[in-house]
Amino acid sequence: MYKALVLSSVTYAQKAQRILASAGIRSTIMRSAAVRAVKGCAYGLRLQAEQVDQAVELLTAQSISVLAIV
């Protein structure tokens, strides 16, 4: 099962994807209806549901805000 971390911009999504990749977490940048429902211009990172907590910790430590998890 997959979840998406909602980020405020494509730039943050790209930076977050690099950070997660360096930790061995695969992710895909996406824009879906669920992501746009949180914030109109938001982008999401799709990743395995069991990796969400670790991903949020890694991104928070790098000062990247996760707006929501959908």
Side-chain angles (χ1 to χ4, degrees), residues 1-5 28 30 44-50 52 69-70:
M1 182 170 172
Y2 293 96
K3 295 258 183 172
L5 304 179
T28 304
M30 59 179 272
L45 281 181
R46 181 177 181 236
L47 53 118
Q48 293 287 330
E50 53 274 353
V52 168
I69 299 169
V70 294

Side-chain angles (χ1 to χ4, degrees), residues 9-10 15 31 48 50 62:
S9 70
V10 69
K15 184 176 179 180
R31 285 192 70 171
Q48 293 287 330
E50 53 274 353
Q62 296 291 321

Side-chain angles (χ1 to χ4, degrees), residues 16-29:
Q17 189 176 38
R18 285 192 299 274
I19 291 167
L20 296 179
S22 69
I25 299 174
R26 292 177 46 111
S27 62
T28 304
I29 297 175

Side-chain angles (χ1 to χ4, degrees), residues 35-55:
V35 170
R36 282 192 296 268
V38 174
K39 184 178 177 191
C41 61
Y43 285 80
L45 281 181
R46 181 177 181 236
L47 53 118
Q48 293 287 330
E50 53 274 353
Q51 296 175 319
V52 168
D53 292 334
Q54 181 185 6

